[in-house]
Amino acid sequence: MYRFPKGFIWATATAAHQVEGGNTNSDVWIMEQTAHSMFKEKSGDACDHFNRYPADIRMLAELGFNTYRFSIEWARVEPLPGVYSQAALAHYRRVLQCCQDNGLEPTVTLHHFTSPIWLLQEGGWCSAKTPARFADYAALVTDALGDLISRICTINEANIGRVLTSSGVMPPLEKLQASKGWQEASATIGVPADTFLPFMFAVTDQAKDTVMQAHHQAVRAIRSSNPNIPCGLTLAVQDIVAVEGGSALAQLHHEQVNEAYLKQIKQDDFVGVQNYSRHRYNRDGPIAAEAGVELTQMGYEFWPESLESSIRTAHALSGLPVLVTENGIATADDQRRQVFVHRALQGVARCIDDEIPVLGYTYWSAFDNFEWMLGYEPTFGLIAVDRLTQQRTIKNSAHWLGEIARSGWLPPAL
Ligand code: BGC
């Protein structure tokens, strides 16, 4: 049995667009509605978490978690540039208060992939205006709600565009821009296809600099509004493995997706590490799963040990305490979820034993939810959601992980 330190953060997470429903003022909503959309289905009502948050949050607290990570939707809070919705702020105040009333610390993400439509019309994640726009929004949220927030993740997976394209999961940007769905979405928003750049596809160097500037300016804005809230960036930290002459390409990929970001955040309070599997490179580039290795619903290798490697990489390159802000598995077999998390947590324990400051572990996700382009098929949740009735069903893994969270003890192998 392993005992996690006192004060360890035990969380589960969601993101606004994936669970709230009706995020109509965002770029991704527009992309979902087009005739040739690259999204398999529409988010629609999602998990109706916008209305059902009181019961949802109570359920997470009762399971044993001490923290809930969720995102505030910029497109709701600032529906037009400089126009703030007091109703949206009041809504998120009620959500935060609900966490506090249930004994859950809120970890708030300010940007989780979706952006307001107007931001895209202004040039999106390549525009020189965006960092200041994002910092203004960060200051607004901190001024209005900071008294109830325990920690802030400014931007979720700042490196996601590069990760998806360079690992071959997503086609290159030029190909996407030439696709019908992309052209329809950019026409709806009223910008040329080659300047339409939603966050998830922000792969260029200019986009990377814009995102990182936005992060730095937001951290400054948050600190001047409320210096007591720890803040950081989250990254999809890649566990990159070289095989068959792949070390040069693996190293290049590591520099572009891990190092380029981790070396720029030394002034933050923590780094949010998000990891789901490992990535193998041979001399030609990214390669498919190793024969015989089990695959998850995402097609990823079942490789929970990659979390340990990502934590070590993130800490070594940033020098920061690590908060695991996402780790989990999409599977229909809830027993395999427990095995996955158990092995991932053993890796976390080894890092702590080696004196790496790991602040906590967040399972992605609290609920089966809208998995972006893949729609509702992959099931990451600790809690199932009936798509017609919205009825929640708690899975065994939720009780199991909640008990670990409550006691701090990691039981021996399952
Ligand atoms: C994202 C989540 C997503 C999860 C599983 C992360 O990249 O932050 O929004 O659902 O991975 O794919």
Side-chain angles (χ1 to χ4, degrees):
M1 295 266 277
Y2 178 87
R3 177 84 162 98
F4 280 89
K6 252 189 144 191
F8 196 73
I9 295 167
W10 290 102
T12 179
T14 61
H17 190 83
Q18 295 177 270
V19 293
E20 283 182 347
N23 190 20
T24 55
N25 204 28
S26 70
D27 52 355
V28 173
W29 181 273
I30 299 294
M31 295 182 84
E32 291 165 21
Q33 313 307 314
T34 59
H36 300 90
S37 176
M38 64 170 79
F39 287 75
K40 266 195 181 161
E41 57 185 313
K42 297 174 183 156
S43 55
D45 288 336
C47 302
D48 192 26
H49 185 62
F50 192 85
N51 297 306
R52 292 168 192 262
Y53 73 87
D56 287 348
I57 288 173
R58 194 175 337 115
M59 205 181 293
L60 301 179
E62 281 170 3
L63 280 168
F65 295 97
N66 58 32
T67 299
Y68 177 38
R69 175 179 176 230
F70 65 95
S71 74
I72 289 184
E73 184 59 49
W74 188 4
R76 288 191 198 274
V77 170
E78 192 174 357
L80 290 170
V83 176
Y84 300 117
S85 164
Q86 294 307 319
L89 286 171
H91 167 80
Y92 287 116
R93 190 158 192 90
R94 289 190 294 273
V95 177
L96 289 161
Q97 189 61 56
C98 181
C99 291
Q100 299 285 358
D101 293 347
N102 282 282
L104 288 179
E105 287 189 3
T107 294
V108 165
T109 307
L110 294 176
H111 186 277
H112 196 123
F113 293 171
T114 44
S115 308
I117 293 169
W118 60 261
L119 193 88
L120 278 282
Q121 291 166 333
E122 280 191 358
W125 293 96
C126 265
S127 162
K129 286 189 197 164
T130 294
R133 290 283 197 204
F134 183 65
D136 286 348
Y137 154 68
L140 177 93
V141 170
T142 316
D143 287 347
L145 308 174
D147 56 318
L148 293 176
I149 298 177
S150 298
R151 63 195 67 77
I152 294 181
C153 302
T154 55
I155 296 178
N156 182 70
E157 296 189 345
N159 58 347
I160 186 67
R162 285 192 174 187
V163 164
L164 293 178
T165 43
S166 58
S167 58
V169 171
M170 216 162 56
L173 185 59
E174 309 76 61
K175 217 165 161 189
L176 287 172
Q177 287 170 337
S179 70
K180 277 190 183 164
W182 191 280
Q183 300 197 347
E184 288 161 354
S186 54
T188 309
I189 284 178
V191 295
D194 60 350
T195 59
F196 175 63
L197 203 61
F199 183 85
M200 269 187 271
F201 310 97
V203 291
T204 61
D205 285 347
Q206 197 188 344
K208 181 206 152 228
D209 291 344
T210 309
V211 168
M212 292 310 284
Q213 288 269 342
H215 166 67
H216 293 311
Q217 291 194 26
V219 170
R220 283 200 289 277
I222 293 163
R223 284 182 177 159
S224 67
S225 165
N226 187 334
N228 300 322
I229 306 177
C231 41
L233 180 76
T234 91
L235 291 167
V237 181
Q238 304 286 284
D239 173 21
I240 303 162
V241 181
V243 293
E244 300 151 10
S247 29
L249 277 180
Q251 176 62 22
L252 184 69
H253 182 60
H254 166 70
E255 283 165 14
Q256 287 177 346
V257 299
N258 291 335
E259 206 174 277
Y261 295 85
L262 286 163
K263 285 194 162 167
Q264 280 192 33
I265 53 172
K266 296 186 182 217
Q267 308 304 320
D268 293 358
D269 298 306
F270 64 86
V271 52
V273 167
Q274 314 200 161
N275 177 273
Y276 291 89
S277 188
R278 64 172 184 172
H279 295 272
R280 303 188 320 135
Y281 273 71
N282 72 8
R283 63 175 62 81
D284 302 318
I287 55 170
E290 190 174 339
V293 174
E294 176 182 345
L295 298 184
T296 74
Q297 286 174 331
M298 299 292 281
Y300 302 158
E301 286 180 317
F302 184 104
W303 208 268
E305 286 68 29
S306 63
L307 177 62
E308 174 180 356
S309 143
S310 300
I311 293 172
R312 291 180 187 278
T313 300
H315 177 64
L317 290 173
S318 69
L320 294 174
V322 170
L323 176 60
V324 176
T325 39
E326 284 185 30
N327 175 250
I329 176 174
T331 177
D333 181 347
D334 197 48
Q335 187 70 35
R336 294 305 287 159
R337 188 181 332 277
Q338 293 182 40
V339 173
F340 184 94
V341 175
H342 190 270
R343 277 168 51 183
L345 285 174
Q346 285 177 312
V348 173
R350 283 189 290 272
C351 292
I352 297 173
D353 281 349
D354 285 346
E355 293 183 2
I356 296 176
V358 186
L359 306 173
Y361 175 86
T362 309
Y363 180 80
W364 181 272
S365 178
F367 304 99
D368 289 342
N369 63 37
F370 182 69
E371 181 52 31
W372 307 109
M373 278 76 91
L374 300 178
Y376 288 101
E377 223 171 83
T379 47
F380 279 94
L382 295 172
I383 298 166
V385 177
D386 185 294
R387 296 251 37 86
L388 275 182
T389 63
Q390 292 286 357
Q391 195 187 321
R392 276 60 169 150
T393 306
I394 298 176
K395 302 180 190 177
N396 286 339
S397 56
H399 291 295
W400 173 82
L401 184 56
E403 198 37 51
I404 294 172
R406 202 189 303 277
S407 68
W409 286 101
L410 182 66
L414 297 160

